[in-house]
Amino acid sequence: MKDAKSFKIGKQLVMEAYKRVKANQGSAGIDDVTILDFEQKLGDNLYKIWNRMSSGSYVPPPVKLVEIPKSDGGKRPLGIPTVADRVAQMVVVMTIDPMIAPHFHENSYAYQEKKSALDAVAKARDRVSVLHWVVDLDIKGFFDNIDHELLIKAMEKHIKCPWSMMYIKRWLTVPYQLQDGTLVERSKGVPQGSVIGPILSNLFLHYVFDKWIAKEQPRVPFERYADDIICHCASHKQAAFLKSIIKKRLADCKLELSEAKTKIVYCKKNHRELEHNIIQFDFLGYTFKPRRAIDLHGEVFLNFSPAISKKARTKIWETIRKWNSGVWVQMTLEDIAKQINPIIQGWINYYGKFNIKVLKNVLARVNMKLARWVRYKFKGFRKHKVRAIHRLGDIALTKPDLFAHWSWGVKPTASLRNRNKIAVDRIRRAV
């Protein structure tokens, strides 16, 4: 006789949830069990999750707290659930997503099947060419300050699955566990790093911001990706008014607008000169600012457009810097390509969408790193930087598709010319 279960949860759903968790990777939680460890007894582990969730007895363990350094010197708390708990959360996400996703606003782009961050950037680019003022919003500690009572109220409008609601409420109050084992109780917020967090935070801002602004200011277009929000206005006066009412709205919903980081930006164009000291903003890894461009008739004009941000450039360069040329000496160029091509292609796919010349200059540093491999690999090049780069250029001519950025047009000789004036002078003297 089969055990009676309180809730009907398919075993195939649990298996599919695991596959998605595995694809997303991620580190171990408080139990130190990695995805590889979890797979050693995959059948037993998935059965335990299914059995406990189906019977209503699943209780999530504490979340491992890791603090990630922020660019402003602060720290961002990141909650890492165990692998098993991530699978359980994914089961619920896959169950509730069809109930929630169809209701999101058209200007909301995060965590939706047919939308992406690049779609949001493209839409913002189109709108700044028409509406020349932007309110760049920053919500102070958004994920950590989501009010549970308001969030549950929003969930109850859409989630008609009793067991999903029950488990979400349990996850909302799961404590953080510090390195020394101390438990930190939580009464608000959604842990960044959780599987359930994105859809819950998105639903929260759907009611706090999207539906509210659509009702109160229907003529104000906006793009929102999670808590990254920009609004477009026709004048500075309208932008200042909008900022003030958004500040009040957030306060009513127990959130705080960061005065230091929220900006009113003038999207400076050739045809209109105004005195305003803030003429750029960052959005989803891109910096929007005035840039010189050439029209179809060869005339130079000022265009307000996006390109990879300084912060994103710095992260890319940090990654390149960490690539170990010493270890590479033992590898062939083909092996190196296999190792780094997926990373380079990811940069190209995302940051190469707009103003590709800027990204090409950024990726020139990959060639400098590869030139170092040439110098380490072959004794005759160790004291000759320029010759090493020319040697790399010869290889690029014979194997132009070996590296992702080479086939994209960032060849070694071009990268050297663009690096800086000193490098250019060196080449001229060598020739």
Side-chain angles (χ1 to χ4, degrees), residues 172-190:
L172 287 177
T173 55
V174 165
Y176 284 130
Q177 181 170 307
L178 307 183
Q179 270 191 324
D180 62 2
T182 303
L183 296 180
V184 180
E185 298 300 321
R186 295 174 45 250
S187 59
K188 62 180 180 178
V190 174

Side-chain angles (χ1 to χ4, degrees), residues 128 131-138 229-247 257-268 274-282 288 304:
V128 295
L131 297 168
H132 300 152
W133 292 89
V134 156
V135 182
D136 179 16
L137 298 169
D138 186 275
I229 311 170
I230 56 173
C231 302
H232 303 269
C233 299
S235 67
H236 182 275
K237 182 179 179 181
Q238 183 189 22
F241 172 73
L242 185 66
K243 179 185 171 184
S244 68
I245 63 172
I246 289 174
K247 180 180 179 180
L257 189 69
S258 172
E259 289 288 349
K261 295 182 179 179
T262 295
K263 302 180 294 185
I264 294 177
V265 184
Y266 174 47
C267 307
K268 187 177 181 180
L274 288 177
E275 290 297 327
H276 190 75
N277 60 350
I278 303 176
I279 56 172
Q280 70 177 52
F281 65 91
D282 283 3
F288 285 71
F304 197 90

Side-chain angles (χ1 to χ4, degrees), residues 217-231:
Q217 298 289 316
R219 295 185 179 181
V220 172
F222 66 93
E223 294 84 40
R224 182 175 71 78
Y225 192 95
D227 62 328
D228 288 321
I229 311 170
I230 56 173
C231 302

Side-chain angles (χ1 to χ4, degrees), residues 271-308:
H271 68 273
R272 191 179 180 195
E273 295 293 334
L274 288 177
E275 290 297 327
H276 190 75
N277 60 350
I278 303 176
I279 56 172
Q280 70 177 52
F281 65 91
D282 283 3
F283 184 54
L284 301 177
Y286 279 86
T287 294
F288 285 71
K289 70 177 187 178
R291 303 176 192 275
R292 294 192 178 278
I294 301 175
D295 64 19
L296 295 175
H297 305 289
E299 296 292 328
V300 177
F301 69 101
L302 203 60
N303 183 25
F304 197 90
S305 61
I308 182 173

